[in-house]
Amino acid sequence: MTPERLGLLWGITVFAGAGARLLAALSGLQGVVLLLLSGLLIGRSGLGLVEPLDLGLGLETTVGLLVSLVLFDGGLNLRLPGDTIKATVLRISLLRLLLSLGAGVLAAHWLAGLGWSVAAVYSAIVLGTGPTVVTPIVQQIRLASPLGDVLEAEGLVLEPVGAVLALLLLELLLGNLHGWRELAIGLMSRLGGGVLIGLAVGWLLSEVLRRLPSEHSVGLRLQLTLGVLFLMFSIAEWLLPESGLPASVAAGVVVGRRPSTQAGQLDELIRELARLAITMLFPLLAADVSWAELSPLGWGGVSCVLVLMLVVRPAAVSVATVGLPLDWRQRLFLGWLAPRGIVTAAVASLFAIRLEQAGVLGAGRLQGLVFLTILMTVGLQGLTAQPLAKALGLIDQTPDPVNDTSLPAKPSEAAP
């Protein structure tokens, strides 16, 4: 691929994402829905202007680094105040790991027609909800606490777990792992190793940021943070594949609790970069989807996703929240909102390539079913989240400091 064509690929992708963001701001529609549609428009299913596979090995590297930034930002802003939220996140994560994983395998095999092994990989890939999708939805509809905290934390916990588990199931399918014992050991070592790496690097980075003299600009702190993050992710992936995801979350959690006079400015810059990463990744990965992969799934694929949305998720949430001080309205909303995001799309795209190279049947159907899951969950749940939250009375009624002009300016923004 020539440098000119490569530049054109990125230019079209970023422009399409920015256009989707602008349309979302002007129309009030969910940005993540429009980002997906923009990718379908410029990719194989639409105008054919962008072919992600033209990036070659650079696709996996680029996606991995940008996803690490998104997960680091999620960990950076993760807040779990109160025992109720922590208990809710823990219960939902554990029960979904058990119930949703098994139910997803059955639904993908019986309804979508995937083989048992490929169905298991699919179920693990779609296990985690996407913080890259949940967070913008929660912020846009201004969901009242504690639901927003629970939904964001659930995604940050389960998405790395699902990605690691999917990789190990893929290795088991390809014959690189032998038996469930090796799979269990691999799961614990990658998750545990990634978390330990993230905690250590996060502590080191927070100490460096804390000790930097205050006269150093926030730009230098941002560059240092990104350099450490990308190096940590690359080393973790080199040592233990897929461990870079939990490492990124753990590092973000540690750095997010650091004492620093410039923490707010730095965190906001990282959040803007994470939003830019989402703006680039969603159209790029959606451009890889073709109708030839979606159409053979038919009503079986649609039924599979609907079962996960309307039966499996609500059942897991209902069981997980028994005995917790959440009313039926909060349980209903938690049981409905579970969109899949960037990590799900990235893992599906990369795994489908590996399955095709290995000659495994069903690789295209796997990717098609994963993207059908993303399209249906993001589309249906993203568009209905705000009306449902309003109908249930779950909107935060406190004034928005960003948009409410009646509030006084912050001291740093006030006129001298």
Side-chain angles (χ1 to χ4, degrees), residues 66-262:
L66 292 179
V67 166
S68 72
L69 174 60
V70 172
L71 292 180
F72 178 81
D73 172 66
L76 197 67
N77 294 279
L78 178 64
R79 299 293 181 266
L80 292 176
D83 294 334
T84 298
I85 297 180
K86 295 175 183 176
T88 303
V89 172
L90 180 61
R91 287 196 194 180
I92 292 178
S93 300
L94 289 176
L95 282 171
R96 288 200 60 233
L97 182 60
L98 298 174
L99 299 179
S100 300
L101 185 63
V105 174
L106 297 177
H109 177 71
W110 288 338
L111 298 176
L114 297 184
W116 285 111
S117 299
V118 179
V121 175
Y122 161 79
S123 185
I125 291 175
V126 300
L127 180 64
T129 57
T132 56
V133 184
V134 171
T135 299
I137 292 176
V138 168
Q139 292 176 345
Q140 186 168 345
I141 67 178
R142 303 185 65 227
L143 192 62
S145 181
L147 296 185
D149 298 322
V150 171
L151 288 165
E152 292 183 61
E154 178 197 352
L156 287 171
V157 170
L158 275 183
E159 200 152 46
V161 174
V164 173
L165 182 57
L167 172 68
L168 295 173
L169 288 170
L170 177 68
E171 296 293 336
L172 188 65
L173 172 60
L174 298 178
N176 298 327
L177 286 179
H178 306 285
W180 295 101
R181 181 180 178 183
E182 288 190 15
L183 186 146
I185 295 174
L187 180 64
M188 297 304 297
S189 63
R190 282 170 169 80
L191 290 177
V195 170
L196 289 177
I197 292 172
L199 292 176
V201 173
W203 176 82
L204 179 62
L205 176 60
S206 63
E207 284 296 304
V208 173
L209 292 174
R210 184 175 66 86
R211 296 175 185 274
L212 272 178
S214 58
E215 62 266 19
H216 287 290
S217 68
V218 69
L220 175 60
R221 296 170 185 268
L222 175 64
Q223 295 169 36
L224 177 63
T225 301
L226 293 180
V228 171
L229 170 64
F230 291 160
L231 179 61
M232 177 203 70
F233 178 82
S234 303
I235 292 176
E237 289 291 304
W238 174 58
L239 294 174
L240 296 168
E242 297 299 331
S243 67
L245 299 181
S248 300
V249 175
V253 170
V254 174
V255 175
R257 280 146 182 77
R258 72 200 181 285
S260 172
T261 56
Q262 293 182 320

Side-chain angles (χ1 to χ4, degrees), residues 2-14:
T2 63
E4 293 79 9
R5 185 167 177 80
L6 182 61
L8 187 61
L9 181 151
W10 281 114
I12 294 173
T13 302
V14 177

Side-chain angles (χ1 to χ4, degrees), residues 10-69:
W10 281 114
I12 294 173
T13 302
V14 177
F15 177 78
R21 290 287 196 186
L22 176 61
L23 182 58
L26 295 176
S27 66
L29 296 174
Q30 286 294 336
V32 290
V33 177
L34 297 177
L35 286 172
L36 276 178
L37 293 178
S38 70
L40 294 174
L41 176 64
I42 64 177
R44 296 180 187 177
S45 301
L47 302 176
L49 301 176
V50 172
E51 174 52 73
L53 294 181
D54 288 344
L55 294 173
L57 295 177
L59 175 62
E60 183 174 357
T61 303
T62 301
V63 170
L65 291 176
L66 292 179
V67 166
S68 72
L69 174 60

Side-chain angles (χ1 to χ4, degrees), residues 114 118 121-122 125 348 351-352 355 362-371:
L114 297 184
V118 179
V121 175
Y122 161 79
I125 291 175
F351 284 13
L355 288 173
R365 292 178 67 88
L366 169 67
Q367 186 177 16
L369 186 58
V370 170
F371 271 93

